[in-house]
Amino acid sequence: FAKKLGVDVFIGKASFDSEGSVMVCTDDFCTKLKFNKACIATGGRPRIPDIPGLKDLARDYSGGEKKPAVLTSENLFNLVELPPRLAVIGTGPIGMELAQAFQRLGSKVVVFGRADRIMRREDADIAKMVYEQAKKDGVTFVFGVSKYEKVVADKEKLSGSFPELCLSLSLNNDGTAQNHFKFDAILVATGRQPNVRSLDLEKANVKFDDHSGVLVNDKLETSNPKIFAVGDVCSPYQFTHVADFMARIVVRNALFFGKQKNVLP
């Protein structure tokens, strides 16, 4: 479709070579592309918390015939088997949406959070409605987590084809005592992080940080006026419709000398 519109598509790993050029590399060769204007739209990826054992599980159970022990938005919708017991780490809108969905599909769901309520960024009355409905559906909540200690898998114990997982944590009201919970899969819903590494943004004079991503002004220009950015790589509002709105601004400003501003705070 892109080629029919006259768009040249280069498949490979892209990184900036200078303030006005990009290198696109495959296993066999690299192609240098010069530009007058460019747009960074590399998106984001699920943020995996630094819980001992969690990243190892995500790596060890990420392919082949093994069912994923650690679920994120990238592999969740590829499931063909329902985990009987599901832990959800994260109490934001996405975590709550998926917790309720899996509970209604038949999983036994437990949601863990550090605060004393869900959806802290939302209005308290709305959060209360969601909480009460999820409780009515059968979702269990564990609030006041002070520290997630570790996650280990017992590969000898299987529920279907899921390994049995043991999540150890400490609660605020338990002092140093550890609590242990057993599950078949863990859904991580603790936010996303921007894809900024490996782009060699320093060579393009584009300012960024690992948490906020690419830094842009209200016209979505980066610190290099030739380069713009859109979507999860530069926005705290990580939704498809927001990325679409931002992309329309960049098209106008980069290609048609527009001065349209991003009205989102």
Side-chain angles (χ1 to χ4, degrees):
F1 180 72
K3 289 185 177 181
K4 289 182 179 179
L5 294 176
V7 178
D8 294 324
V9 179
F10 293 82
I11 303 299
K13 182 179 179 181
S15 60
F16 286 97
D17 185 55
S18 71
E19 293 185 11
S21 62
V22 171
M23 295 292 291
V24 181
C25 297
T26 65
D27 293 337
D28 301 320
F29 61 89
C30 292
T31 303
K32 184 172 183 176
L33 304 173
K34 295 182 179 181
F35 58 81
N36 292 321
K37 299 290 183 180
C39 180
I40 301 170
T42 51
R45 63 189 184 278
R47 189 185 304 276
I48 305 296
D50 291 326
I51 302 173
L54 188 63
K55 291 183 179 179
D56 292 335
L57 280 175
R59 182 190 65 247
D60 294 343
Y61 288 84
S62 62
E65 297 181 355
K66 295 180 178 179
K67 293 292 186 295
V70 179
L71 302 175
T72 69
S73 58
E74 291 184 344
N75 61 8
L76 173 72
F77 297 101
N78 295 328
L79 284 178
V80 295
E81 181 180 344
L82 188 71
R85 299 167 297 177
L86 177 66
V88 177
I89 299 177
T91 58
I94 303 302
M96 291 307 306
E97 176 185 7
L98 294 174
Q100 185 183 46
F102 272 84
Q103 181 72 33
R104 290 184 173 186
L105 287 170
S107 295
K108 179 60 179 176
V109 178
V110 181
V111 176
F112 296 89
R114 294 183 181 275
D116 58 356
R117 53 162 282 195
I118 66 170
M119 299 167 57
R120 288 180 296 169
R121 294 183 179 181
E122 313 303 326
D123 291 343
D125 54 345
I126 298 298
K128 183 180 178 181
M129 290 175 58
V130 175
Y131 171 74
E132 290 178 349
Q133 182 59 53
K135 288 276 290 185
K136 183 178 179 181
D137 289 334
V139 176
T140 301
F141 291 87
V142 177
F143 294 123
V145 176
S146 58
K147 183 179 180 181
Y148 295 97
E149 302 288 348
K150 62 181 179 180
V151 181
V152 296
D154 188 339
K155 301 177 182 179
E156 302 301 321
K157 294 183 179 180
L158 299 175
S159 293
S161 51
F162 291 96
E164 183 174 86
L165 308 179
C166 183
L167 173 62
S168 301
L169 53 84
S170 300
L171 299 175
N172 291 331
N173 57 1
D174 282 351
T176 59
Q178 287 193 15
N179 298 266
H180 306 284
F181 300 86
K182 293 185 177 181
F183 299 99
D184 306 299
I186 295 177
L187 170 62
V188 177
T190 53
R192 297 175 64 80
Q193 60 190 80
N195 292 326
V196 292
R197 291 298 175 181
S198 77
L199 296 178
D200 289 338
L201 295 174
E202 300 89 345
K203 294 181 180 179
N205 191 28
V206 172
K207 294 182 179 180
F208 70 97
D209 65 57
D210 290 330
H211 178 72
S212 300
V214 176
L215 306 182
V216 295
N217 61 19
D218 56 5
K219 296 179 183 178
L220 300 180
E221 292 175 326
T222 70
S223 51
N224 180 339
K226 291 183 177 181
I227 302 174
F228 295 76
V230 298
D232 291 5
V233 75
C234 67
S235 173
Y237 304 102
Q238 299 180 341
F239 303 101
T240 302
H241 58 280
V242 174
D244 175 77
F245 174 77
M246 297 172 74
R248 294 168 188 265
I249 294 176
V250 168
V251 168
R252 295 186 180 97
N253 292 348
L255 302 182
F256 300 103
F257 307 101
K259 296 181 180 180
Q260 185 171 354
K261 295 183 179 181
N262 179 27
V263 296
L264 296 174

